Amino acid sequence: MIKQRIARGTLLNRLRELEESQKNKQAIPVLFVDVEEDGRLWVGKNISDKHYFENMFDGEAYMTALPGFTEQTKVLIDDLLCWPEGLYLPSDPILYFTDSEKRSDFVCVNTDPEKRLALYIALIKHVLETAETKSALPGFDTPALKDLIENMDSMNIEQLVEHYKDQKWFDRTIKI
């Protein structure tokens, strides 16, 4: 008998939560983040609703302050202009720790993996030198970036480009 009451109570609580979420008609289901050719970063509900930011920290502050932003809001990030496919390293450092001008440098060299990686390494070194704390740096907890930090001084650019062309960095079960 007690088990049935608990189950009913749980179901009633879930039903109330569902009713509350349905009442929130202003809930934002999806937000988009994109990088333009000039390096500008924008956040919006659609392509005609763009709000520009210098970095992703400012963009995140804007998103979380929007009425209707919830934990269920999906954030779709299109970073292909500043970090296209081909080198499997996180683009987070570019989005968070550069401004539009520096980001445009990545856009300009997005077809040259060696130049792109040289810029990326310079950025990583700068962030590590200037960061007050090493914890909670966006993207710095990924296996590929940890590996790059370990190898960037012992390998040349050509070797590093070849090393990070492999998609193994997406599979967290592979031991490095």
Side-chain angles (χ1 to χ4, degrees):
M1 198 65 153
I2 293 175
K3 288 183 180 178
Q4 289 179 343
R5 287 185 189 156
I6 292 172
R8 286 183 195 149
T10 302
L11 289 173
L12 286 173
N13 285 340
R14 289 183 182 164
L15 182 59
R16 284 187 199 111
E17 289 174 11
L18 182 59
E19 288 172 345
E20 285 299 314
S21 67
Q22 287 179 338
K23 286 179 187 176
N24 187 1
K25 299 293 184 193
Q26 291 183 335
I28 302 170
V30 179
L31 284 172
F32 299 95
V33 177
D34 199 355
V35 177
E36 295 196 348
E37 288 185 20
D38 60 2
R40 292 186 303 161
L41 179 71
W42 64 266
V43 174
K45 295 177 187 173
N46 55 49
I47 199 155
S48 62
D49 175 39
K50 295 180 180 181
H51 299 272
Y52 291 94
F53 300 95
E54 279 302 306
N55 60 52
M56 196 62 184
F57 291 117
D58 297 338
E60 279 183 355
Y62 168 77
M63 286 187 277
T64 56
L66 283 172
F69 183 85
T70 66
E71 290 180 9
Q72 286 75 34
T73 301
K74 304 277 187 255
V75 179
L76 301 177
I77 300 174
D78 182 0
D79 58 357
L80 285 178
L81 275 178
C82 66
W83 197 255
E85 292 183 36
L87 291 179
Y88 294 100
L89 292 163
S91 64
D92 295 352
I94 299 168
L95 298 175
Y96 283 90
F97 300 105
T98 61
D99 58 14
S100 296
E101 184 179 329
K102 294 280 187 201
R103 207 173 300 110
S104 71
D105 293 343
F106 282 94
V107 172
C108 290
V109 297
N110 72 356
T111 58
D112 187 337
E114 291 176 4
K115 288 181 181 177
R116 192 172 10 138
L117 189 56
L119 279 175
Y120 190 77
I121 290 171
L123 172 64
I124 298 304
K125 286 181 177 180
H126 175 73
V127 170
L128 291 174
E129 290 170 2
T130 60
E132 294 174 14
T133 177
K134 302 295 185 238
S135 63
L137 292 173
F140 281 72
D141 60 342
T142 61
L145 189 49
K146 286 179 181 179
D147 185 76
L148 176 66
I149 292 168
E150 290 175 16
N151 292 314
M152 64 187 173
D153 293 325
S154 63
M155 297 170 77
N156 65 36
I157 293 291
E158 293 82 17
Q159 291 170 321
L160 289 169
V161 166
E162 190 62 34
H163 187 66
Y164 296 108
K165 282 184 177 180
D166 193 345
Q167 293 184 23
K168 71 181 178 183
W169 303 111
F170 285 122
D171 186 358
R172 298 199 184 267
T173 61
I174 294 175
K175 300 294 182 213
I176 300 168

